[in-house]
Amino acid sequence: KKYVESNIEWNSLPEKIRRALGTIQEWNSFVLKYSLENCIRWADGVVKTAVPEAEYYRLLIEFQGNNLRLYPYHLAAEVIWFTNTTNFIFYHKMIENLLRQEKAYDLLPNFTARDALQLLGIGRNQYIDMTNRCKAKGWMWNKKGINIREELPKRPMELKPESWWSITLSITKNFSETIKELSGSEATLLSKLGAWDEDPEVDTNLSNETADKLKKQNDSGASLPSSSLSSSHETNNNNNN
């Protein structure tokens, strides 16, 4: 473990460790397993000597989903670029797999369930209702993916920003096509987000409607600080409370 955390490559390992492992393949397998379990960024770890970057992020998002873990937000840029998997797509597939396997909603860890609820609007009660509707379609319902997907939301829930959000921008390799469909305000927002790292004082005030439309684009991912949203959103929230 300490050698993985210290980014020690095979040839630099102590002789006794290499003898215990036997082969470089065993070392690479251990490195990959540890990196996946700890959501280590490929570029920052010794795992980059064990598996190609694209393959690593494909395995990572698969590992997180199969183990009902949270979406790896700190690696969102890489995950979206290499796998086209936004947080909405990630939880959408997770809930679909649970339904298909007829597993209980309570298998979801609390933080995973909360995140999925915020994005999909699916909690325990909604999940039970969906299961019942799927079963009503016939005894082969769990073999017919189309029937299950019809019950799932097509878009993320309305954007509800939190004070601790930070600005990030993640795009997929298909984004050049998607951006052609954006409105002027949405394209302007993307330009502002893209300039954020260079100029952290850039004015990113925008309407909640614009931010929500951008968030619902499945070919992009963005998290925004609530301070960047217009005061009208705060007014709406106060009216709803």
Side-chain angles (χ1 to χ4, degrees):
K1 174 182 175 180
K2 69 178 181 179
Y3 296 112
V4 177
E5 293 175 343
S6 300
N7 290 340
I8 304 299
E9 297 184 17
W10 170 257
N11 291 333
S12 299
L13 288 172
E15 183 62 30
K16 65 177 182 180
I17 299 298
R18 281 192 288 176
R19 283 201 303 269
L21 289 167
T23 66
I24 188 173
Q25 286 75 22
E26 289 295 326
W27 168 245
N28 286 343
S29 295
F30 177 79
V31 167
L32 177 59
K33 183 175 184 293
Y34 182 86
S35 300
L36 293 175
E37 290 176 346
N38 292 277
C39 281
I40 294 174
R41 177 173 276 104
W42 181 88
D44 296 340
V46 70
V47 68
K48 61 178 173 285
T49 67
V51 65
E53 189 172 15
E55 177 69 5
Y56 175 71
Y57 287 111
R58 184 190 67 77
L59 292 171
L60 176 67
I61 206 68
E62 183 179 282
F63 177 84
Q64 293 292 107
N66 289 344
N67 289 280
L68 307 180
R69 292 189 172 193
L70 281 168
Y71 183 79
Y73 287 99
H74 66 298
L75 301 176
E78 293 91 341
V79 167
I80 292 174
W81 177 258
F82 287 107
T83 73
N84 290 348
T85 306
T86 62
N87 51 359
F88 174 75
I89 294 173
F90 176 78
Y91 290 117
H92 193 282
K93 183 176 181 180
M94 182 183 291
I95 296 299
E96 179 183 343
N97 287 339
L98 284 179
L99 283 168
R100 191 185 307 282
Q101 297 168 33
E102 300 186 64
K103 291 185 176 180
Y105 177 87
D106 289 339
L107 287 176
L108 291 174
N110 289 338
F111 286 112
T112 302
R114 177 187 173 91
D115 207 22
L117 174 61
Q118 290 179 331
L119 284 161
L120 305 180
I122 298 174
R124 180 182 291 102
N125 292 338
Q126 291 83 1
Y127 183 85
I128 292 173
D129 289 343
M130 289 170 56
T131 300
N132 291 334
R133 288 197 300 271
C134 286
K135 287 182 177 179
K137 295 180 179 181
W139 68 277
M140 286 289 287
W141 70 270
N142 58 347
K143 305 299 182 184
K144 301 175 182 178
I146 187 62
N147 288 339
I148 295 176
R149 287 191 290 274
E150 286 175 352
E151 298 294 335
L152 294 168
K154 302 297 187 294
R155 296 288 183 183
M157 295 289 288
E158 181 182 352
L159 180 67
K160 296 180 180 179
E162 303 285 353
S163 60
W164 43 265
W165 284 20
S166 61
I167 282 188
T168 60
L169 175 63
S170 304
I171 61 177
T172 70
K173 296 178 180 179
N174 300 324
F175 190 70
S176 59
E177 294 301 319
T178 301
I179 198 171
K180 296 176 183 178
E181 302 174 4
L182 298 179
S183 67
S185 60
E186 293 160 5
T188 298
L189 170 57
L190 278 184
S191 297
K192 289 180 177 180
L193 291 178
W196 182 264
D197 287 339
E198 299 176 5
D199 181 9
E201 301 301 322
V202 64
D203 178 13
T204 54
N205 289 321
L206 58 136
S207 70
N208 189 61
E209 180 181 1
T210 298
D212 195 44
K213 285 181 179 178
L214 181 60
K215 178 176 177 285
K216 289 179 179 179
Q217 288 284 350
N218 282 340
D219 286 328
S220 65
S223 60
L224 313 168
S226 59
S227 60
S228 72
L229 298 177
S230 62
S231 59
S232 62
H233 179 263
E234 295 181 5
T235 302
N236 290 336
N237 276 347
N238 291 334
N239 291 336
N240 291 332
N241 290 335

